[in-house]
């Protein structure tokens, strides 16, 4: 019995050591700046923990304001991350065990608007999860949006800054987000990133290299463009989207994962690229499907019975598993008239860009005012110059005429002027050649 107890104790110690040797965070990597310790410090309404000697992560706000600005510095230390509070978080084969976790508002639900200061690089684990904030302004310095950062959050629209490279798993899952602008430069969108959200419109840039499974499942999207840069469209990526009508798969995508468009009841058309090499069963419960469009010839059609190409045959067999196969095989199918889509109709910047827009408008107004003042000053200066130039010319002419009058002295030249008619006469003439009066020299 003692031997059995000893074995059990040894196993228990081994298990505890193994558990605590696992990564601390579900989105843990060096770039997310996860600390190894959770010793927190209070500073006014804020609470933070250290990341390095001179950098910190804000993990709590204890004030009562409706609008807050998350500072770039606290107690002389640089804030580079905002993350929820957690004591233990274990990542085991996609199962996350969390103890003592929550967003950065554990003591208040009054905050409606958040402005994050420049210099902050990362939004970490559950930063704004289940919060009631309605508007948030992200800094240009931001690079990473981590695991469940906005999960179940009340914010409805958001502009992701140009420097963001990474959106983590469940980042916007079950949130009220309806509009989001994803920037060129974004490289990764995590699993379940927008799953269950209110998302109606999204632009996925061609810099994205991977999109995790179920990333857009159960959203309100009406159309989706999958860029060729992702190579593989993962499992259930756009499944259960009840409003989705059109799906475009970009040139470069080679593989389609299982249940890609499963239960998209409103889906009418799908566009496929020539780059497509293999496909699992992507069509299940697509009651409204009307047409499939292939960029190439029938050789690329996974439905063509006569095509014996191995990969295409595999696609055909997997598609036969779809519900309503008789409907699918009789769809309107076109070849060679479709080019890989490039989404050009980027959604307009949503409402939370008002601050940026107003700043831009203010700058434009100032520049316009400066330009107008410069124009007025130039016009006045030019008018004064012209008037002075004309005045100087007239005065000079008058001066020259006066000088000429003063310099004409008949006595000097010997010319005499007739006192009767005023006619100048030659000095050698004794009589006025006009009136005949005798001159007086």
């Amino acid at each position: 019995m003692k031997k059995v107890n000893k074995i059990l104790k040894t196993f228990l110690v081994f298990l505890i050591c193994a558990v605590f040797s696992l990564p601390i965070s579900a989105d843990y990597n060096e770039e997310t700046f996860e600390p190894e310790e959770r010793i927190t410090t209070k500073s006014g309404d804020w609470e933070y923990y250290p990341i390095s000697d001179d950098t910190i992560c804000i993990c709590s706000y204890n004030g009562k304001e409706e609008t807050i600005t998350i500072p770039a510095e606290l107690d002389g230390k640089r804030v580079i991350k905002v993350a929820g509070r957690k004591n233990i978080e274990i990542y085991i084969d996609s199962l996350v065990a969390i103890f003592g976790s929550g967003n950065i508002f554990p003591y208040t639900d009054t905050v409606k608007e958040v402005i994050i200061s420049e210099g902050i690089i990362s939004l970490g684990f559950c930063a704004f999860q289940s919060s009631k904030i309605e508007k948030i302004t992200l800094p240009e310095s931001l690079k990473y949006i981590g695991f469940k950062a906005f999960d179940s959050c009340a914010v409805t629209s958001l502009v992701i800054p140009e420097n963001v490279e990474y959106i983590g798993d469940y980042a916007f899952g079950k949130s009220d987000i309806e509009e989001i602008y994803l920037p060129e430069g974004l490289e990764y969108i995590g699993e379940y990133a927008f799953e269950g959200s209110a998302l109606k419109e999204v632009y996925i840039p061609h810099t994205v290299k991977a999109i995790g499974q179920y990333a857009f499942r159960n959203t309100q999207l009406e159309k989706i463009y999958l860029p060729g840069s992702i190579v593989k469209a993962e499992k259930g990526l756009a499944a259960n989207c009840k409003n989705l009508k059109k799906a475009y798969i970009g040139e470069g995508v080679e593989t389609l994962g299982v249940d890609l468009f499963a239960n998209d009841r409103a889906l009418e058309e799908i566009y496929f690229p020539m780059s497509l090499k293999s496909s699992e069963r992507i069509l299940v419960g697509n009651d409204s499907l009307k047409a499939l469009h292939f960029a190439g010839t029938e050789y690329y059609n996974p439905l063509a019975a006569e095509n014996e190409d191995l990969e295409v045959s595999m696609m055909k067999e997997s598609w036969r598993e779809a519900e309503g196969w008789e409907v699918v095989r009789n769809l309107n199918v076109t070849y060679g008239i479709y080019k890989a889509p490039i989404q050009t109709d980027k959604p307009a910047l949503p409402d939370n860009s008002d601050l940026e827009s107003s700043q831009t408008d203010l700058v434009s107004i100032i520049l316009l005012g400066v330009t107008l003042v410069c124009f007025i000053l130039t016009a006045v200066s030019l008018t004064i110059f012209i008037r002075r130039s004309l005045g100087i010319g007239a005065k000079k002419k008058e001066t020259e005429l006066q000088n000429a009058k003063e310099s004409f002295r008949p006595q000097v030249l010997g010319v005499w002027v007739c006192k009767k008619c005023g006619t100048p006469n030659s000095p050698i003439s004794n009589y006025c050649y006009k009136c005949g009066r005798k001159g007086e020299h």
Side-chain angles (χ1 to χ4, degrees):
M1 188 67 179
K2 291 183 178 179
K3 188 175 182 180
V4 172
N5 289 338
K6 186 176 181 180
I7 293 174
L8 288 174
K9 288 180 181 179
T10 303
F11 177 75
L12 183 60
V13 171
F14 174 78
L15 181 62
I16 293 172
C17 292
V19 165
F20 282 94
S21 67
L22 291 169
I24 283 180
S25 170
D27 60 336
Y28 178 82
N29 59 55
E30 292 181 359
E31 295 180 333
T32 57
F33 305 103
E34 286 288 350
E36 295 180 357
E37 54 185 86
R38 303 287 178 206
I39 301 173
T40 62
T41 302
K42 289 186 177 180
S43 177
D45 292 333
W46 305 98
E47 191 171 344
Y48 64 87
Y49 57 74
I51 292 176
S52 67
D53 291 340
D54 60 350
T55 60
I56 60 175
C57 171
I58 286 179
C59 61
S60 177
Y61 171 75
N62 306 320
K64 301 296 181 182
E65 300 293 330
E66 287 193 4
T67 300
I68 64 170
T69 298
I70 297 179
E73 184 176 310
L74 272 178
D75 297 340
K77 298 181 184 292
R78 192 162 58 95
V79 179
I80 62 172
K81 184 174 182 178
V82 178
R85 301 163 60 88
K86 60 179 183 286
N87 297 322
I88 302 173
E89 178 192 335
I90 304 168
Y91 181 54
I92 309 175
D93 295 330
S94 299
L95 298 177
V96 182
I98 307 166
F99 305 94
S101 66
N103 61 40
I104 68 168
F105 309 116
Y107 309 114
T108 179
D109 58 0
T110 61
V111 179
K112 302 299 182 185
E113 181 177 356
V114 175
I115 301 170
I116 301 178
S117 298
E118 286 294 334
I120 294 175
I121 300 172
S122 176
L123 298 182
F125 177 90
C126 297
F128 302 106
Q129 183 189 33
S130 300
S131 68
K132 295 183 179 180
I133 60 172
E134 299 171 355
K135 185 176 181 180
I136 184 166
T137 302
L138 304 178
E140 291 299 319
S141 56
L142 190 67
K143 291 186 178 181
Y144 310 101
I145 297 177
F147 181 80
K148 289 194 173 184
F150 293 93
D151 178 72
S152 302
C153 181
V155 68
T156 58
S157 61
L158 195 62
V159 175
I160 305 297
E162 295 295 325
N163 291 318
V164 171
E165 302 171 355
Y166 175 97
I167 294 177
D169 298 348
Y170 300 90
F172 296 91
K174 299 180 179 64
S175 69
D176 292 339
I177 194 78
E178 295 181 359
E179 297 177 290
I180 193 163
Y181 181 88
L182 302 179
E184 300 291 339
L186 181 67
E187 296 183 357
Y188 178 77
I189 300 174
E191 297 178 359
Y192 302 90
F194 297 91
E195 194 267 343
S197 71
L199 190 65
K200 294 180 179 179
E201 187 174 12
V202 65
Y203 166 72
I204 305 173
H206 290 257
T207 53
V208 172
K209 298 176 182 178
I211 303 176
Q213 62 181 0
Y214 302 114
F216 297 99
R217 184 175 71 171
N218 195 26
T219 59
Q220 306 301 311
L221 291 174
E222 294 184 3
K223 60 183 176 181
I224 189 168
Y225 295 78
L226 299 179
S229 55
I230 66 174
V231 182
K232 180 181 180 180
E234 296 288 351
K235 177 181 179 181
L237 191 149
N240 292 81
C241 297
K242 64 180 182 180
N243 297 327
L244 188 67
K245 293 182 179 180
K246 291 187 179 183
Y248 301 86
I249 302 171
E251 192 65 52
V253 175
E254 298 179 356
T255 304
L256 305 181
V258 66
D259 294 339
L260 180 62
F261 302 115
N263 298 314
D264 291 343
R265 302 290 179 180
L267 184 61
E268 297 177 356
E269 295 180 277
I270 308 175
Y271 294 79
F272 299 94
M274 285 187 64
S275 57
L276 188 62
K277 294 181 179 179
S278 63
S279 171
E280 297 183 62
R281 183 198 66 219
I282 68 171
L283 300 175
V284 176
N286 306 108
D287 303 335
S288 302
L289 195 61
K290 297 177 181 177
L292 303 176
H293 305 286
F294 294 88
T297 63
E298 290 192 31
Y299 176 82
Y300 294 92
N301 177 14
L303 302 179
E306 66 276 10
N307 195 324
E308 298 302 326
D309 178 86
L310 178 62
E311 290 182 326
V312 175
S313 296
M314 291 173 60
M315 292 166 63
K316 180 176 61 180
E317 291 304 316
S318 65
W319 281 30
R320 285 186 184 277
E321 299 174 11
E323 294 179 7
W325 168 251
E326 291 302 320
V327 175
V328 172
R329 67 184 297 188
N330 293 315
L331 291 175
N332 177 27
V333 179
T334 61
Y335 308 98
I337 61 172
Y338 161 67
K339 289 187 177 181
I342 297 177
Q343 185 178 7
T344 56
D345 55 335
K346 297 182 182 181
L349 295 180
D351 294 340
N352 67 318
S353 62
D354 288 347
L355 177 61
E356 182 180 349
S357 299
S358 63
Q359 290 174 344
T360 303
D361 292 341
L362 181 59
V363 172
S364 300
I365 291 171
I366 292 173
L367 290 175
L368 181 61
V370 171
T371 304
L372 185 60
V373 170
C374 291
F375 176 77
I376 293 173
L377 291 176
T378 302
V380 170
S381 300
L382 185 61
T383 302
I384 293 173
F385 174 76
I386 293 173
R387 292 184 65 181
R388 285 187 176 180
S389 298
L390 292 175
I392 291 172
K395 188 174 182 180
K396 183 178 179 182
K397 188 173 182 180
E398 183 180 351
T399 302
E400 290 177 350
L401 183 60
Q402 184 65 31
N403 290 338
K405 287 181 178 180
E406 293 178 355
S407 63
F408 182 72
R409 297 177 182 177
Q411 294 82 0
V412 176
L413 298 174
V415 176
W416 59 274
V417 180
C418 178
K419 292 182 179 182
K420 182 178 181 181
C421 65
T423 302
N425 290 279
S426 171
I428 61 174
S429 174
N430 292 326
Y431 297 92
C432 177
Y433 76 90
K434 188 172 183 180
C435 66
R437 180 185 175 84
K438 186 177 181 179
E440 296 179 0
H441 295 276

